[in-house]
Amino acid sequence: MLKNRIRGTIHDSFYLGLGSRLYPGSRIPWHRTAEATQRRQPLSNQPIRAGRRPLITQLYSPGLAPIARMSGRVPIESQRVDAPLTSSATFLVLSVTESPDAVKTVRSALADIDGLAKNVAIRDLGASFACTVGIGSDVWDRVTGLPKPSELHPFPPVEGAKHTAVSTPGDLLFHIRSERRDLNFEFEKQLLDLLGDSVKVVDETVGFRYFDVRDLLGFVDGTANPVGPAVPASILVAEEDTAAAGGSYIVVQKYVHDMKGWKTLKAEQQEAIIGRTKLDNVELDDAPTGQQASHKTLNTIEDENGVEHDILRDNMPFGSPGSGEFGTYFIGYSRRLWVIEKMLQRMYIGEPPGLHDRILDYSRPLTGTTFFAPSASILASLDSD
């Protein structure tokens, strides 16, 4: 009886946290106060229909985006990097071409990204549409004309004894997501029409939510994400780099899974690799120091003072059973790029070295690219000259 009560408590706590990621306008706890709910009324004051979420702050717009006040400076409007998890997402990576007006066209498109997003989002205000734009190191100077964020550089390949995190090209990232695949499709179509021959598609991946936010390996993905006030503290650059304040570093990797090999493992073996139980997502104890660490342990990052640093993952499954493709698109947002890079070092090289993350025996990266999502204020200013 006591065992069932404990398991029920764990189950309820897990799904309460899950609900805060699936149903808010941003990553704040969903058990809101009456006052907070009253503040988030729908646009045009229309009544909230049963089963629909409040609408304000769900539309991507500098006017509605969260405002980060950095060290008493003029308010900086961040992009919707904290947008809620949705049932559909498109990850679009582009390279800027050498056509004569390419940079000018890109600057103009990025400056108007808010208007383009509103054109699409207005068709269903309850669909939580959002688009986050990332700019790569190689084109940062040409596209923005601004000082480069202090940690921004191309994705460095990580070579372990058995596995390698590959580095692949990419100048622009558009992380497009909503509850409706057709909205994502329409936005991408209008965006590429606007950009024309100024860009070339490097990679396009369409992701989907799989049951209760599980990956195709069968485990809940993103449990360690920050929530509430910890979200901006974990993902938005602040006073440590004032020129980049309100922005966020982004790392993307496209993984494909060896499902046949994964299925040969017993559930207990899979759980030891991940570091959590498969059914109810309960965290397992860390292995003793010096022994094989789980994926969960290797992705827990502390600085030299023992302070733990979180990132925000918006991973999504993708694939096609007919073609035998099953994968996870990793996308991590962070205030500090070194946190994600240290995760990758620990995964591929191992901690201690030689004991790599065993999930890599069943998951192979096809891409690896780093971007920086500048504030919405910076994007809106790109077409001002």
Side-chain angles (χ1 to χ4, degrees):
M1 191 74 175
L2 178 59
K3 182 178 180 181
N4 289 338
R5 191 177 301 124
I6 293 173
R7 181 174 290 270
T9 301
I10 294 172
H11 179 277
D12 293 344
S13 298
F14 161 60
Y15 280 100
L16 179 62
L18 175 62
S20 72
R21 299 201 60 218
L22 295 181
Y23 298 113
S26 61
R27 312 294 174 92
I28 55 180
W30 72 336
H31 43 288
R32 302 178 183 277
T33 63
E35 179 184 2
T37 303
Q38 186 177 13
R39 287 200 305 268
R40 298 182 72 248
Q41 291 301 310
L43 301 178
S44 305
N45 293 318
Q46 69 265 38
I48 301 174
R49 300 200 304 271
R52 296 297 291 270
R53 282 159 288 179
L55 304 179
I56 196 166
T57 80
Q58 293 180 355
L59 182 64
Y60 170 85
S61 168
L64 298 178
I67 296 177
R69 298 183 181 275
M70 307 293 180
S71 305
R73 301 170 71 233
V74 174
I76 297 171
E77 297 164 352
S78 65
Q79 291 193 64
R80 289 292 310 280
V81 293
D82 67 338
L85 287 174
T86 54
S87 60
S88 179
T90 299
F91 306 95
L92 183 65
V93 177
L94 309 175
S95 62
V96 179
T97 67
E98 297 300 324
S99 64
D101 294 326
V103 171
K104 181 179 179 181
T105 301
V106 168
R107 286 173 59 92
S108 177
L110 296 186
D112 193 41
I113 201 73
D114 169 51
L116 184 61
K118 286 192 287 189
N119 287 346
V120 174
I122 197 67
R123 304 182 190 195
D124 185 348
L125 292 174
S128 299
F129 181 87
C131 175
T132 301
V133 179
I135 303 173
S137 175
D138 290 345
V139 297
W140 178 271
D141 294 340
R142 287 189 291 150
V143 170
T144 70
L146 298 171
K148 187 177 293 187
S150 60
E151 291 189 71
L152 182 60
H153 53 250
F155 182 96
V158 183
E159 297 184 10
K162 188 174 180 180
H163 303 287
T164 298
V166 298
S167 177
T168 53
D171 294 328
L172 301 172
L173 168 71
F174 295 90
H175 180 193
I176 308 162
R177 62 267 208 209
S178 76
E179 294 297 336
R180 292 177 51 171
R181 168 70 183 122
D182 57 342
L183 293 184
N184 297 349
F185 175 91
E186 180 64 20
F187 178 85
E188 182 184 2
K189 179 173 72 70
Q190 292 189 25
L191 174 67
L192 291 177
D193 286 345
L194 190 62
L195 290 168
D197 62 2
S198 67
V199 298
K200 181 175 69 174
V201 175
V202 176
D203 183 69
E204 176 194 40
T205 301
V206 175
F208 55 89
R209 188 166 67 215
Y210 191 57
F211 298 116
D212 49 342
V213 201
R214 292 181 184 265
D215 57 31
L216 298 184
L217 299 178
F219 286 80
V220 174
D221 194 5
T223 305
N225 274 349
V227 295
V231 176
S234 299
I235 65 176
L236 295 182
V237 175
E239 65 278 353
E240 67 274 10
D241 186 0
T242 54
S248 183
Y249 294 96
I250 312 174
V251 173
V252 298
Q253 289 180 292
K254 183 177 181 178
Y255 284 91
V256 288
H257 304 311
D258 172 15
M259 296 302 295
K260 185 176 180 180
W262 183 252
K263 289 178 180 178
T264 64
L265 301 178
K266 296 180 179 179
E268 292 79 7
Q269 293 174 302
Q270 295 178 355
E271 292 174 343
I273 291 173
I274 300 299
R276 291 183 178 275
T277 58
K278 193 170 186 177
L279 178 62
D280 46 13
N281 194 44
V282 176
E283 183 174 324
L284 302 178
D285 292 337
D286 293 337
T289 302
Q291 296 187 20
Q292 177 66 57
S294 68
H295 178 70
K296 177 261 300 182
T297 300
L298 292 172
N299 278 266
T300 301
I301 303 301
E302 296 181 350
D303 60 25
E304 63 276 8
N305 298 317
V307 177
E308 187 172 322
H309 293 276
D310 294 327
I311 69 169
L312 183 68
R313 298 168 180 83
D314 262 336
N315 305 349
M316 272 204 162
F318 68 90
S320 168
S323 61
E325 181 184 57
F326 303 89
T328 296
Y329 200 96
F330 166 80
I331 178 167
Y333 289 89
S334 182
R335 176 177 178 174
R336 305 167 180 87
L337 181 58
W338 69 262
V339 174
I340 300 180
E341 292 183 340
K342 187 172 181 180
M343 286 181 181
L344 295 175
Q345 291 282 334
R346 287 164 61 90
M347 286 177 61
Y348 284 83
I349 295 175
E351 183 63 37
L355 295 179
H356 66 268
D357 191 339
R358 290 213 49 220
I359 199 174
L360 298 175
D361 296 339
Y362 307 93
S363 304
R364 177 170 58 92
L366 302 180
T367 68
T369 319
T370 298
F371 302 93
F372 186 79
S375 67
S377 305
I378 287 179
L379 287 181
S381 72
L382 292 182
D383 202 26
S384 60
D385 52 6

